[in-house]
Amino acid sequence: METYGGRRNQAARDAATVETGYALCSALFAAAVLFGAVAGPALLFELPGTVETLLLRVGLVIAPVVFVARVISVLVRFRRERRPQPSQPGRTNPDS
């Protein structure tokens, strides 16, 4: 019943929890690194006002986009890996 909409066992719930945690942590890291790379020069150096504002705004826009994209990509890949395998090796369709 586990693969056809039944209740998941504890191992499956633990795997989903770990994968969700990994997705959130890796997304946070990627967004922080990207924000630092884009907006870091504006925070560290004395730049003209327009350039400084532009770098900060671009960093503030692109960091959440990267965060969401990373979380989605990790969770979609995890879900795709959890699909049941065909019962006969080498066959992808039961009718083949």
Side-chain angles (χ1 to χ4, degrees):
M1 286 195 107
E2 181 180 335
T3 57
Y4 295 107
R7 298 186 66 171
R8 296 186 298 180
N9 60 15
Q10 186 64 39
R13 289 192 305 267
D14 289 346
T17 301
V18 168
E19 197 67 22
T20 302
Y22 168 72
L24 292 173
C25 289
S26 67
L28 181 65
F29 179 75
V33 167
L34 188 68
F35 177 79
V38 172
L43 299 173
L44 293 175
F45 304 115
E46 191 72 27
L47 298 173
T50 306
V51 174
E52 188 173 319
T53 303
L54 179 67
L55 287 176
L56 285 172
R57 287 185 181 169
V58 168
L60 287 172
V61 168
I62 202 165
V65 171
V66 168
F67 179 85
V68 170
R70 175 68 182 162
V71 168
I72 290 172
S73 70
V74 169
L75 294 179
V76 166
R77 184 177 28 166
F78 173 70
R79 189 171 187 186
R80 191 176 302 143
E81 290 174 1
R82 303 265 313 158
R83 288 186 183 159
Q85 297 295 318
S87 60
Q88 297 174 342
R91 295 185 182 224
T92 57
N93 188 352
D95 296 331
S96 62

